[in-house]
Amino acid sequence: MNQRGPVSVDALHRFDAIIDARSPAEFARDHIPGAINCPVLDDEERRIVGTLYKQQGPFEARRVGAAMVAANLAHHLRTQFAERPAQWRPLVYCWRGGLRSGAMVTWLRMVGWDAQQLAGGYKTWRRHVLHQLATLPPRLDLRVLCGPTGSAKTRVLQALAAQGAQVLDLEALAQHRGSVLGALPGVAQPTQTAFETRLAHAMQALDTRRPIFIEAESARIGCLNVPQPLVQRLRASPCIEIQADTPARLDFLLRDYAHLGDDPALLAKRIAALKELHGKQVIARWQAWAQERALAPLFAELIALHYDPLYARSQNTHLYQWPQRHTVNTEALTPAHIDTLARQILALETADRQLTNAAPGVACAGAGPARP
C-alpha cells in the first residue's frame, strides 16, 4: 500500500478517479471537472457538526462527526466503490485537504487501494483556476465573431467547431445567450466560481499555436462576469463581422428564440428590465405583444429600437481592431447558410495566414493576434 504524501493539482491526470468528499451543496457550487461527489458528511450533518464545534467544542464535534463519517464511508464502499478493481487509484479532496478527505483516504488505503489526497484541497484548486484565468488569455490567438443580434454568431461558432476549428464558446460555458432575453429555458446559470472553473478548463485544452474563434461578448453574460484578462484579450483581437439584412435576421430569431413564446408572462417580465432605456409606452407595447405571443412585431422592434442602436454604439468603442475587421455576407441564416459562413471564415483565416507567411514582418490589416 502506497503511503505517499498529498499530491499537487498538476498530478490530477494520473488518477483513475477524482473524489470530492465535501457536502453536496459545496460540490454544487463548484468542483474539479470530472470529480464525483462522495460526501463524508451531507449538508445537514455538516451543519450539525459545525454547530457542535461552536457550542460544545472540537471533541464533541469530532465524536459525533466520526460516527456520521463512518456510516457514509461504509455506504460509499457498498455502492460507488463496490466494483472498483484492486489497482484503482483515486485522488480525494475536501475543502482544505484536511479531516474529511484524510478520513476517506485512510479507509480506502485500508482496503488496499492506492488512494491519495490533494494537497490543500479545493482551496488549492481554486488558486490554480485563478492563476489560469490570469495567465492564459494573453496567450490566446483569438478571432472575434461580431454581428448584430440575430446574425447567428453562436450557430456560426458551433459550425466552425464542427468543421475542425478551435472555439471558445462563452455562452455555452455560462449557460446563457448573453442578452436580456438570453436565459435558457429551464436551465440555471452556474455559480461564478463554477463558470470560472469551466472557463479555465476550456482554455487549458486549447492549442495556443492555432487561432481560436470566440463570439464578441460584453464583460457580463447573464449574471456572470467574464474575467477581465479574457475581456481585454477579446477586445484587442482581430474581428470578423457577419452581415445579414434585417429580414434574414428576424427570420432566424423567430426560429432560434421561438421558445420565448412558450411563457408570455416571463417574457413580459424580462422586457420590463428595459423600461429605463425605452420608457413606459414602448415597454407596454412590447409587453402586450409578448402576452399575445406576437413575436414577429416584438422582435422587429427590439432589433430596430434596442439591439441595433446598442450594437452600433458598442463595437467601435469596445473592439480595438473594429476598423480593420473582415466581413462575410449572407442572404439568409438557414443551417446551410450558416455552414457556408463558417467555411468562408476559415477561408479568410487561411488566406491571412498564407499572406503573413509570404511576407514576414509585414502587418496585414485584420490578420493575426493583437500583441499586448
Side-chain angles (χ1 to χ4, degrees):
M1 181 168 56
N2 199 318
Q3 294 291 338
R4 291 192 300 273
V7 300
S8 71
V9 294
D10 297 329
L12 294 179
H13 65 283
R14 300 176 187 169
F15 291 86
D16 300 321
I18 301 173
I19 300 173
D20 188 321
R22 299 175 302 158
S23 70
E26 292 173 289
F27 182 81
R29 281 193 291 273
D30 186 33
H31 54 268
I32 296 175
I36 58 174
N37 188 209
C38 299
V40 299
L41 294 172
D42 65 24
D43 297 321
E44 178 61 14
E45 289 167 342
R46 183 167 176 258
R47 185 195 65 78
I48 291 170
V49 170
T51 301
L52 285 173
Y53 188 94
K54 291 178 182 178
Q55 295 179 352
Q56 300 185 38
F59 175 79
E60 186 64 14
R62 288 174 180 170
R63 185 188 68 78
V64 173
M68 296 174 175
V69 168
N72 288 324
L73 287 172
H75 171 73
H76 297 318
L77 285 167
R78 289 193 300 266
T79 56
Q80 290 263 36
F81 308 151
E83 304 298 325
R84 304 295 183 175
Q87 297 77 25
W88 185 50
R89 298 186 66 243
L91 178 68
V92 186
Y93 72 94
C94 58
W95 177 246
R96 294 186 183 89
L99 292 176
R100 288 184 288 175
S101 57
M104 180 174 284
V105 165
T106 298
W107 276 55
L108 297 181
R109 285 178 173 175
M110 288 173 61
V111 171
W113 289 308
D114 183 13
Q116 303 295 330
Q117 190 175 20
L118 178 63
Y122 171 80
K123 292 189 73 174
T124 293
W125 168 256
R126 178 63 181 161
R127 287 193 294 271
H128 169 75
V129 167
L130 293 176
H131 177 75
Q132 296 290 87
L133 294 175
T135 58
L136 284 177
R139 299 168 53 200
L140 302 182
D141 189 5
L142 298 180
R143 303 291 185 271
V144 184
L145 291 189
C146 310
T149 295
S151 54
K153 297 183 293 296
T154 300
R155 301 301 181 194
V156 172
L157 201 68
Q158 293 167 352
L160 284 164
Q163 294 180 28
Q166 288 195 121
V167 304
L168 185 58
D169 191 341
L170 297 181
E171 293 185 0
L173 295 170
Q175 295 179 197
H176 195 281
R177 302 184 74 170
S179 69
V180 69
L181 304 180
L184 301 176
V187 178
Q189 288 193 263
T191 64
Q192 180 69 33
T193 51
F195 170 60
E196 290 171 358
T197 289
R198 293 179 180 189
L199 180 56
H201 187 64
M203 288 194 295
Q204 197 168 12
L206 296 169
D207 182 351
T208 57
R209 298 167 298 179
R210 296 174 52 208
I212 299 150
F213 294 92
I214 189 170
E215 186 175 343
E217 299 285 356
S218 68
R220 192 169 177 84
I221 304 176
C223 65
L224 301 175
N225 296 314
V226 180
Q228 275 302 305
L230 182 58
V231 172
Q232 293 305 315
R233 186 59 173 171
L234 186 156
R235 290 178 173 178
S237 297
C239 304
I240 302 167
E241 184 183 29
I242 300 167
Q243 293 186 344
D245 61 21
T246 300
R249 291 160 51 207
L250 179 57
D251 182 61
F252 172 79
L253 287 172
L254 288 171
R255 295 195 312 273
D256 218 44
Y257 283 79
H259 64 272
L260 291 177
D262 296 339
D263 192 338
L266 179 59
L267 178 56
K269 181 180 178 181
R270 290 178 182 169
I271 289 170
L274 302 174
K275 186 174 293 184
E276 290 187 9
L277 294 173
H278 298 284
K280 294 181 180 179
Q281 188 173 8
V282 172
I283 296 301
R285 181 168 69 250
W286 291 352
Q287 288 181 317
W289 281 332
Q291 295 287 2
E292 296 165 7
R293 293 186 170 89
L295 297 186
L298 173 59
F299 287 178
E301 282 209 1
L302 282 169
I303 286 174
L305 301 182
H306 178 69
Y307 288 115
D308 280 7
L310 185 65
Y311 177 77
R313 291 193 301 269
S314 66
Q315 301 307 291
N316 202 45
T317 301
H318 297 301
L319 299 173
Y320 309 146
Q321 295 203 42
W322 180 249
Q324 295 83 33
R325 67 192 180 278
H326 286 305
T327 60
V328 287
N329 296 276
T330 183
E331 62 184 15
L333 291 164
T334 66
H337 286 89
I338 288 169
D339 286 341
T340 298
L341 282 171
R343 286 193 293 272
Q344 289 177 321
I345 290 168
L346 290 176
L348 278 174
E349 180 60 35
T350 299
D352 276 351
R353 187 165 58 249
Q354 291 173 344
L355 183 58
T356 301
N357 291 338
V362 178
C364 175
R371 302 299 177 193

